[in-house]
Amino acid sequence: MIALDTNILVRLFVEPADEQKRSQQTLVLERLQSAQSFFVPLTVSLELAWVLGKVYGCDAPVLRDVLDRLTRLANVEVEAATDLARGADQHVAGLDFADAPHGARSAHCSALLIFDDGRFARKAKRLAVRPIVQVPRAG
């Protein structure tokens, strides 16, 4: 099994502007179509979403589609794929993508404590995210 880094996946999902990058994309596609097995760590998936969103301006539905397409590749194992899908759905519903997987990865907990001025907590409450997202209060 071979692990994939973010820059490899960006080449897979972003149409390259120059010839060298197009040739790199072709190499990536050929390699992914081989009989080899590949692994995408959770951290790479999160970075991929960040790069696509911040650098390439992809919106929430596009990010969800990219993650869905990645998890459907037969020879690619995506770490925490179910949690990423749940987080991507919550991102489409209004949560920041960076925050969305926290709840999914903490589903076995009764609450998720955060200090974020309440913004994430308010959105999570509106979307009925589990576990309950709470901002600690004095007193």
Side-chain angles (χ1 to χ4, degrees):
M1 185 172 283
I2 298 171
L4 300 174
D5 187 34
T6 307
N7 55 14
I8 294 292
L9 296 176
V10 168
R11 289 282 184 278
L12 179 64
F13 291 108
V14 173
E15 187 61 40
D18 64 55
E19 187 57 40
Q20 179 185 7
K21 290 181 180 172
R22 274 193 293 280
S23 116
Q24 290 173 336
Q25 183 183 50
T26 300
L27 289 173
V28 169
L29 290 169
E30 287 172 358
R31 195 90 188 256
L32 286 174
Q33 293 170 354
S34 72
Q36 290 180 299
S37 296
F38 298 93
F39 176 73
V40 179
L42 175 60
T43 52
V44 168
S45 296
L46 296 174
E47 186 179 27
L48 174 64
W50 185 88
V51 169
L52 293 178
K54 297 297 182 191
V55 176
Y56 293 97
C58 296
D59 61 12
V62 170
L63 293 175
R64 180 176 58 188
D65 181 57
V66 164
L67 290 172
D68 182 54
R69 288 171 45 204
L70 184 60
T71 59
R72 284 188 281 130
L73 294 171
N75 58 336
V76 177
E77 176 189 337
V78 178
E79 182 180 17
T82 302
D83 293 336
L84 282 168
R86 182 174 163 203
D89 288 342
Q90 290 173 342
H91 179 48
V92 169
L95 288 183
D96 291 337
F97 189 83
D99 292 329
H102 299 327
R105 298 294 292 163
S106 305
H108 62 286
C109 299
S110 60
L112 173 62
L113 294 180
I114 57 164
F115 284 118
D116 79 337
D117 82 354
R119 190 185 73 219
F120 174 42
R122 286 191 303 271
K123 288 179 182 178
K125 182 177 181 179
R126 179 176 50 82
L127 297 171
V129 169
R130 295 291 176 251
I132 296 169
V133 178
Q134 298 175 339
V135 177
R137 305 274 185 229

